Amino acid sequence: MRQEKRTLSLKTLNKSNVWDLQENDIFRMWEAAEKDADLKDNVRRYLDIIKSAFDIEEVKVDKPEIIKKYEARGFKVGQIRMDENTKSKWGIKKRPILRVTDLTYENIHHISAAKLIEVLDRNFGGGWDSLSQSIKDIIESGFDISTTTLPKDRLRKPGGMYEKKVNDGFEVLEITKGLWIEAIFAKAKPEIEKPRMKYDEPEELPANNEDDDEDLPEEEDHYEDAEDDDDDFDEDKLTEESYRTTFETDPEDLSLEAEGMSDEYEDE
């Protein structure tokens, strides 16, 4: 479940929920945190999180004409207090998601299916299979994806996959491939809260008698030694000879050995 913007603060900010914010939210949150005594000690950590979703530039020349240039580039300019004695002006701009390479595991849950289709449409014309596996994994962590390639006159056939997917809330991107069309369907997956580990109540756990433990001899850890032995195994030392299952032998030697064996059996 996504955290509402109004409940976020610098202390609860992370590299995922920061994508829900806009520039004014950052200035508001920082202003609220100026009263915290530990702000100075955590400035670097807060900035690292904010910079994962925002471009930040310090406005070193505080003049109206300079600020207008920042604003023309899409920056919001505001005053930031780093500590009780230091103030500075920052330009902050949300990083746009324009290309498939802009997609990450942190921001994929913070865009809509329509936005995803827009990004896909802008970046490639070769179809779903033209994407790298790493990009596919990121997309599929946040969206249900399915594809089909059919002749133009069959793609939107009544009762077909196209109609069913659209009726089910999927966004669709159509990529023309000659007389055929590849359709890519995308629908956001619901975010599932990770289950927490459930522990037994303290009273249900057996009491730990520390005095009894002192009388027990200390057991030797043989597992650690075994793991060290495995680490010494060097696969690079394996050669073709290690896998050979036949032996190069002179046929006459084999015949002599066979005669020797037959003599032994005759003596018996």
Side-chain angles (χ1 to χ4, degrees):
M1 183 179 295
R2 294 179 183 173
Q3 214 172 3
E4 294 294 335
K5 288 196 297 184
R6 63 176 178 273
T7 65
L8 288 178
S9 66
L10 287 183
K11 291 183 178 180
T12 60
L13 205 60
N14 58 53
K15 290 186 178 182
S16 177
N17 60 28
V18 70
W19 285 94
D20 282 331
L21 304 177
Q22 299 301 321
E23 294 86 355
N24 290 334
D25 298 317
I26 299 298
F27 286 115
R28 175 185 54 79
M29 291 168 57
W30 200 281
E31 183 180 1
E34 290 176 358
K35 303 173 184 177
D36 295 338
D38 61 346
L39 173 62
K40 183 179 179 180
D41 297 332
N42 293 284
V43 164
R44 183 180 297 273
R45 182 170 66 87
Y46 296 152
L47 286 179
D48 286 343
I49 294 173
I50 295 172
K51 286 180 178 179
S52 69
F54 292 84
D55 291 322
I56 299 178
E57 294 185 17
E58 183 179 357
V59 182
K60 296 182 178 181
V61 180
D62 188 6
K63 293 183 178 181
E65 59 270 23
I66 299 298
I67 293 176
K68 286 182 179 179
K69 289 182 179 180
Y70 276 97
E71 292 174 345
R73 293 167 53 199
F75 283 84
K76 298 285 186 181
V77 178
Q79 186 168 273
I80 292 292
R81 183 189 295 273
M82 303 299 290
D83 55 48
E84 61 274 8
N85 300 318
T86 306
K87 287 184 178 180
S88 60
K89 278 198 172 181
W90 284 0
I92 301 179
K93 181 175 68 173
K94 183 79 169 284
R95 287 186 178 177
I97 300 175
L98 302 176
R99 301 172 298 275
V100 292
T101 51
D102 294 328
L103 298 172
T104 66
Y105 285 106
E106 286 77 22
N107 65 29
I108 193 65
H109 292 285
H110 302 276
I111 64 173
S112 65
K115 175 64 176 179
L116 175 65
I117 292 299
E118 177 187 323
V119 172
L120 295 177
D121 188 29
R122 184 183 296 116
N123 280 272
F124 67 90
W128 177 252
D129 289 337
S130 69
L131 293 173
S132 67
Q133 187 59 51
S134 60
I135 295 297
K136 288 181 182 179
D137 290 343
I138 290 173
I139 294 173
E140 290 180 327
S141 71
F143 293 87
D144 287 321
I145 300 291
S146 56
T147 66
T148 185
T149 303
L150 292 170
K152 291 181 179 180
D153 57 348
R154 290 181 53 193
L155 180 63
R156 303 196 183 197
K157 183 179 179 181
M161 180 179 181
Y162 190 103
E163 183 179 280
K164 291 178 180 178
K165 289 291 185 182
V166 171
N167 291 340
D168 196 25
F170 281 78
E171 297 286 340
V172 59
L173 173 63
E174 298 180 24
I175 302 173
T176 301
K177 297 181 176 181
L179 299 177
W180 294 65
I181 293 180
E182 177 179 359
I184 302 176
F185 304 95
K187 183 179 180 181
K189 291 180 178 178
E191 286 198 71
I192 302 175
E193 189 173 352
K194 294 181 180 179
R196 298 180 179 179
M197 294 292 291
K198 184 178 180 181
Y199 298 95
D200 294 332
E201 294 296 327
E203 59 269 20
E204 296 178 0
L205 297 175
N208 182 20
N209 192 331
E210 296 181 358
D211 296 334
D212 294 341
D213 293 341
E214 293 178 356
D215 298 332
L216 294 176
E218 184 175 352
E219 294 184 4
E220 297 182 4
D221 188 358
H222 298 288
Y223 293 101
E224 184 175 355
D225 294 337
E227 291 177 358
D228 292 339
D229 292 340
D230 291 341
D231 292 340
D232 293 336
F233 179 74
D234 188 358
E235 291 184 357
D236 293 336
K237 293 181 181 179
L238 291 177
T239 64
E240 184 181 60
E241 295 296 331
S242 305
Y243 293 96
R244 183 168 294 170
T245 57
T246 59
F247 299 89
E248 296 180 2
T249 309
D250 191 327
E252 293 183 0
D253 294 339
L254 293 176
S255 61
L256 291 174
E257 290 177 4
E259 289 177 2
M261 292 176 62
S262 61
D263 292 341
E264 292 178 2
Y265 284 114
E266 288 178 1
D267 294 338
E268 292 177 358

XYZ file of all heavy atoms in Angstrom, residues 111-119 143 171 186:
90
model
N 4.144 4.838 -11.825
C 3.653 5.329 -13.108
C 2.424 4.516 -13.497
O 2.231 3.380 -13.036
C 4.725 5.242 -14.214
C 5.105 3.776 -14.496
C 5.955 6.064 -13.844
C 6.025 3.619 -15.680
N 1.604 5.099 -14.335
C 0.383 4.424 -14.789
C 0.680 3.560 -16.010
O 1.740 3.686 -16.640
C -0.680 5.464 -15.140
O -0.253 6.244 -16.255
N -0.273 2.697 -16.338
C -0.125 1.872 -17.541
C -0.073 2.754 -18.783
O 0.656 2.466 -19.740
C -1.267 0.863 -17.625
N -0.872 3.837 -18.783
C -0.857 4.758 -19.925
C 0.521 5.393 -20.079
O 1.022 5.563 -21.199
C -1.926 5.827 -19.739
N 1.172 5.747 -18.949
C 2.512 6.317 -19.002
C 3.510 5.292 -19.510
O 4.410 5.616 -20.309
C 2.906 6.813 -17.612
C 4.328 7.331 -17.507
C 4.547 8.562 -18.352
C 5.940 9.132 -18.155
N 6.188 10.330 -18.987
N 3.365 4.052 -19.087
C 4.260 2.994 -19.560
C 4.145 2.822 -21.068
O 5.155 2.712 -21.777
C 3.948 1.683 -18.847
C 4.736 0.461 -19.356
C 6.223 0.631 -19.088
C 4.212 -0.816 -18.709
N 2.912 2.791 -21.576
C 2.698 2.653 -23.022
C 3.346 3.820 -23.763
O 3.958 3.655 -24.828
C 1.199 2.575 -23.333
C 0.619 1.263 -22.799
C 0.940 2.708 -24.824
C 1.210 0.014 -23.398
N 3.233 5.005 -23.196
C 3.853 6.197 -23.804
C 5.375 6.035 -23.871
O 5.999 6.364 -24.894
C 3.491 7.425 -22.970
C 4.129 8.713 -23.434
C 3.869 9.865 -22.472
O 2.748 9.919 -21.907
O 4.783 10.680 -22.269
N 5.974 5.534 -22.794
C 7.416 5.325 -22.762
C 7.829 4.266 -23.778
O 8.809 4.442 -24.517
C 7.871 4.921 -21.341
C 9.335 4.505 -21.338
C 7.658 6.081 -20.371
N 3.756 -4.485 -13.723
C 2.642 -4.567 -14.664
C 2.453 -5.989 -15.179
O 3.423 -6.743 -15.319
C 2.888 -3.640 -15.869
C 2.873 -2.180 -15.534
C 4.020 -1.538 -15.100
C 1.701 -1.438 -15.644
C 4.013 -0.189 -14.770
C 1.682 -0.091 -15.326
C 2.836 0.535 -14.886
N -4.154 -1.225 -21.020
C -3.735 -0.272 -22.043
C -3.030 -1.065 -23.140
O -2.427 -2.109 -22.871
C -2.793 0.779 -21.464
C -3.418 1.659 -20.394
C -4.387 2.680 -20.975
O -4.309 2.963 -22.194
O -5.215 3.203 -20.208
N -0.799 -3.833 -21.297
C -0.205 -3.555 -19.989
C -1.273 -3.122 -19.002
O -2.142 -2.302 -19.313
C 0.865 -2.464 -20.108
